[in-house]
Amino acid sequence: MALIIEEIVNKHESVLKKYRGLYAFADLLATYFVLYILFVLFNMRDLFLMFSIFEPYTGAKYSILGFGVVFETLGLIFLAFALSLILTAIRHYRAEKKDAIALLEETHPVLRERLRTAYDNRNTDNIIVRDLIGGVIIDSKPVQSSSFLDRRKLTKDLIVIVFAVTVLAYVVGTGYQTTLSPTDLNGVIDKLPLVSNSNSDLYPVDENGGTSNNTSQENIFGKPAVVVVEGKDVDLTIPPGTGQGFTSQEEGEQMNESFTQSGMVNPEAEASKAYYDNLPEGYRNVIQSYFEGLAEE
């Protein structure tokens, strides 16, 4: 009789595990389709353009089952599946899990307290335990494992899946997408106080070339540097105004002089005499002959 009560409990426990796997699979599909639709609507494919590691692959097409799929689409599929897998695992890990005995006693009041007591004392051999186990076996025979199936939960997941697939088909057919994109977050991040003040140690430059800090600008170089050259002290202080870029210049009087065209000049080339002064001796005749040859050509 102890083996019979164990077989009954183990059979219902095995069916209960299968139902839990079915719940997890339905939740995974529902979560995946919802996430993927949100990714498509909000142009999450632009997320791959924000990382340089994906630049060699963006825009590439891959043939899968006869269909050309873009790399960004494959990335969204993988990202949505990974996130839905994580969310489903967390949700089912934190969910309350009842064993087969608790569910049997909850759904069938005739077995309440009796089934648990009989299972815990199945190895005890006396007339009271044998009578209890016999009565539990008789009362548990009409129990069907299908009573553990939560049809309400599966119906909710099925409705979400059908709705998500319908919306996805509409988006793919019409190409509808929102104007929002992950690239819009760049402007939002720049406006954050902690990010915008990250370079607060650098003083902003004023219009006159100075900084806006309140520290005194006098003697910023400390004492002037002095170099001793042949027993004499040479002051190396940089005079004010040196190295400050362009300085203002006074505007002179505008002169309106008319252009005078020169007369006719003989267009023939004339050798210059000035270069003879700098020619090295010994090569003067060679260089002179070279340039005369060029002039003749």
Side-chain angles (χ1 to χ4, degrees), residues 96 98-109 111-112:
E96 182 183 2
K98 294 182 179 180
D99 55 10
I101 295 177
L103 286 177
L104 281 170
E105 292 182 347
E106 181 180 344
T107 56
H108 299 80
L111 298 174
R112 188 167 299 170

Side-chain angles (χ1 to χ4, degrees), residues 219-226 235 237:
N219 298 329
I220 61 174
F221 297 103
K223 296 181 179 180
V226 177
D235 188 4
T237 305

Side-chain angles (χ1 to χ4, degrees), residues 27-45:
D27 287 344
L28 178 63
L29 283 181
T31 306
Y32 166 74
F33 281 112
V34 171
L35 287 178
Y36 186 75
I37 289 174
L38 293 178
F39 288 169
V40 173
L41 289 176
F42 293 101
N43 301 299
M44 291 299 292
R45 60 185 302 168

Side-chain angles (χ1 to χ4, degrees), residues 151-192:
R151 293 178 174 82
R152 185 177 179 182
K153 179 177 178 58
L154 289 178
T155 302
K156 290 181 179 179
D157 290 336
L158 183 61
I159 292 175
V160 172
I161 292 173
V162 172
F163 175 77
V165 172
T166 304
V167 174
L168 181 61
Y170 172 79
V171 171
V172 173
T174 61
Y176 174 79
Q177 288 178 321
T178 62
T179 58
L180 299 178
S181 175
T183 55
D184 299 334
L185 296 178
N186 293 332
V188 176
I189 294 175
D190 294 338
K191 294 180 181 179
L192 294 178

Side-chain angles (χ1 to χ4, degrees), residues 156-283:
K156 290 181 179 179
D157 290 336
L158 183 61
I159 292 175
V160 172
I161 292 173
V162 172
F163 175 77
V165 172
T166 304
V167 174
L168 181 61
Y170 172 79
V171 171
V172 173
T174 61
Y176 174 79
Q177 288 178 321
T178 62
T179 58
L180 299 178
S181 175
T183 55
D184 299 334
L185 296 178
N186 293 332
V188 176
I189 294 175
D190 294 338
K191 294 180 181 179
L192 294 178
L194 297 178
V195 177
S196 60
N197 295 332
S198 60
N199 295 327
S200 59
D201 55 334
L202 302 177
Y203 297 108
V205 180
D206 294 337
E207 294 180 356
N208 56 3
T211 56
S212 60
N213 60 326
N214 297 326
T215 58
S216 176
Q217 298 295 332
E218 298 179 359
N219 298 329
I220 61 174
F221 297 103
K223 296 181 179 180
V226 177
V227 178
V228 179
V229 180
E230 296 182 357
K232 297 181 180 180
D233 295 342
V234 180
D235 188 4
L236 297 181
T237 305
I238 300 176
T242 304
Q244 291 184 355
F246 296 100
T247 57
S248 61
Q249 299 179 356
E250 297 181 359
E251 296 181 357
E253 297 181 358
Q254 185 176 2
M255 300 178 64
N256 297 324
E257 296 182 355
S258 59
F259 175 75
T260 303
Q261 184 176 3
S262 60
M264 297 298 294
V265 182
N266 187 5
E268 295 181 358
E270 183 178 358
S272 175
K273 307 299 182 181
Y275 75 93
Y276 290 112
D277 298 336
N278 298 325
L279 294 179
E281 296 183 0
Y283 297 94

Side-chain angles (χ1 to χ4, degrees), residues 31-182:
T31 306
Y32 166 74
F33 281 112
V34 171
L35 287 178
Y36 186 75
I37 289 174
L38 293 178
F39 288 169
V40 173
L41 289 176
F42 293 101
N43 301 299
M44 291 299 292
R45 60 185 302 168
D46 295 341
L47 186 66
F48 299 100
L49 302 177
M50 301 173 61
F51 299 94
S52 59
I53 191 175
F54 297 115
E55 288 183 359
Y57 308 101
T58 54
K61 286 188 177 182
Y62 301 92
S63 178
I64 299 178
L65 299 178
F67 298 95
V69 183
V70 186
F71 170 78
E72 290 86 338
T73 303
L74 291 177
L76 288 184
I77 293 174
F78 176 78
L79 183 60
F81 179 77
L83 290 178
S84 59
L85 187 63
I86 294 173
L87 293 176
T88 304
I90 293 175
R91 185 164 59 250
H92 282 267
Y93 177 78
R94 300 178 59 181
E96 182 183 2
K97 298 181 179 63
K98 294 182 179 180
D99 55 10
I101 295 177
L103 286 177
L104 281 170
E105 292 182 347
E106 181 180 344
T107 56
H108 299 80
V110 68
L111 298 174
R112 188 167 299 170
E113 298 297 335
R114 297 175 60 232
L115 177 60
R116 187 176 301 275
T117 304
Y119 186 79
D120 293 340
N121 297 278
R122 62 188 182 277
N123 295 325
T124 304
D125 188 11
N126 57 51
I127 188 172
I128 298 176
V129 173
R130 288 197 299 269
D131 182 67
L132 176 61
I133 294 176
V136 168
I137 292 173
I138 295 174
D139 294 334
S140 61
K141 283 183 177 181
V143 177
Q144 299 294 329
S145 299
S146 58
S147 61
F148 298 154
L149 183 62
D150 191 351
R151 293 178 174 82
R152 185 177 179 182
K153 179 177 178 58
L154 289 178
T155 302
K156 290 181 179 179
D157 290 336
L158 183 61
I159 292 175
V160 172
I161 292 173
V162 172
F163 175 77
V165 172
T166 304
V167 174
L168 181 61
Y170 172 79
V171 171
V172 173
T174 61
Y176 174 79
Q177 288 178 321
T178 62
T179 58
L180 299 178
S181 175

